[in-house]
Amino acid sequence: MILLQSHSRFLLDNLLNRLQNIEKAVEADYHWAEFDDVRYHIQVTMKNPHILLLSVSLPTPPPETVFLGGLPSGAIEAIKAAYGAVVQILDPPRDGFNLTLKLNLSKLPPDEEYKHALLVKIASVREVVLGAPLRGILKKLVSRTVASNTDGLVALVHRPNESFFLIPQADKVTIIFPMRFKDSIDIVLATSFLQEFVEARRTAGLNTAPPCLWSPTPPLELKEAPAEALSANAGFVTFGKKLDRTVCSLSTFHAYVSYHVKCSEGFMHTRMRRRVESLIEVAFPFSFFSSS
């Protein structure tokens, strides 16, 4: 199965192109949107070709999540830790955006490999910002600084007006995704996919992976969650154990499932078309060939 990359390919291509043509002093003004309604805006002026303004609009948070100043908890600290002196956070951000970063391309490191790695990290700003609360909780788990009496339910936004839930404990963090799809066919395919996803862990080579469960009804861990946040039509997926290296995979899990559902749907449509064409060819050989 294909795992989604954490960085925006279009953003990375623009950063690399800007760096290669920085002496040409060409203006840039691009708007685009990616999955889960994350929107970007890049702006560069001829007056300051070394300065790039990157604005990001995040999915609309549901009521059960906590945003501080338009950003998830820990996002500012995560940005500073990831980008250092290369990036400056503008306050307030551009109108219509949750975050605006000022990138000084002249401060990029001279080492080409390190420079490229930093640009990939900048292109992963979505994961850095939305994954900040999850990363903070997992770091506490790894360092064993989670309080032993912790019994809270943490809601994190990952799609417009939709959240997934974390239940931090002293020795593990449980993550639960309510899975929602609009199309009836997508609901059927996603439900089947998620059930197989859980079964796959029982195969050889995957039995050491973190526990994964699927249920058609909300798990008991979500008893304190608001009812409107639990309206899932494709069940609930639960991950457990120690997940300190899975921030990107978890923050893009719904998009990952949606991608494979659409691929499966497209594959079945292709097979059906080919089957229909072969039946027509057998049933009406003369008319089929005469029409072609």
Side-chain angles (χ1 to χ4, degrees), residues 16 109-121:
L16 293 172
D111 182 79
E112 290 298 325
E113 185 176 349
Y114 182 40
K115 182 188 299 182
H116 187 271
L118 184 55
L119 290 176
V120 171
K121 193 69 173 178

Side-chain angles (χ1 to χ4, degrees), residues 230-260:
L230 303 179
S231 58
N233 54 22
F236 296 78
V237 180
T238 303
F239 294 98
K241 211 173 179 179
K242 299 179 180 180
L243 303 165
D244 52 299
R245 296 183 180 180
T246 61
V247 173
C248 173
S249 297
L250 289 171
S251 61
T252 60
F253 179 70
H254 195 286
Y256 163 82
V257 174
S258 297
Y259 173 81
H260 285 284

Side-chain angles (χ1 to χ4, degrees), residues 11-157:
L11 176 54
L12 179 59
D13 288 347
N14 273 278
L15 292 174
L16 293 172
N17 182 64
R18 170 57 48 178
L19 201 60
Q20 293 170 0
N21 300 281
I22 196 169
E23 300 302 330
K24 295 183 179 180
V26 178
E27 288 189 353
D29 194 346
Y30 302 122
H31 289 263
W32 76 97
E34 297 191 355
F35 62 88
D36 294 338
D37 197 32
V38 176
R39 295 184 293 110
Y40 299 87
H41 179 212
I42 280 182
Q43 191 172 32
V44 182
T45 64
M46 294 179 62
K47 184 179 179 180
N48 295 303
H50 291 79
I51 301 299
L52 183 148
L53 295 182
L54 169 62
S55 299
V56 183
S57 174
L58 303 176
T60 304
E64 64 271 11
T65 59
V66 177
F67 265 39
L68 303 174
L71 295 172
S73 174
I76 298 295
E77 293 77 9
I79 293 169
K80 293 179 179 178
Y83 306 136
V86 177
V87 169
Q88 176 186 352
I89 303 172
L90 298 187
D91 187 19
R94 292 291 180 89
D95 289 343
F97 293 90
N98 298 80
L99 174 70
T100 297
L101 301 178
K102 181 179 180 181
L103 281 64
N104 190 335
L105 300 179
S106 63
K107 291 186 178 181
L108 288 171
D111 182 79
E112 290 298 325
E113 185 176 349
Y114 182 40
K115 182 188 299 182
H116 187 271
L118 184 55
L119 290 176
V120 171
K121 193 69 173 178
I122 293 172
S124 304
V125 61
R126 175 194 187 280
E127 183 264 327
V128 171
V129 174
L130 288 180
L134 175 59
R135 186 179 295 103
I137 291 175
L138 295 178
K139 283 183 178 180
K140 290 181 179 180
L141 174 65
V142 173
S143 61
R144 297 188 178 277
T145 56
V146 178
S148 58
N149 60 348
T150 298
D151 191 28
L153 185 67
V154 182
L156 303 181
V157 62

Side-chain angles (χ1 to χ4, degrees), residues 175 177 193-202 206-207 209-215 236-241 243 250 253:
I175 295 95
F177 286 86
F193 176 85
L194 293 170
Q195 289 173 334
E196 290 296 327
F197 193 82
V198 173
E199 290 295 324
R201 186 180 176 275
R202 301 179 182 178
L206 295 177
N207 49 11
C212 178
L213 302 173
W214 177 89
S215 63
F236 296 78
V237 180
T238 303
F239 294 98
K241 211 173 179 179
L243 303 165
L250 289 171
F253 179 70

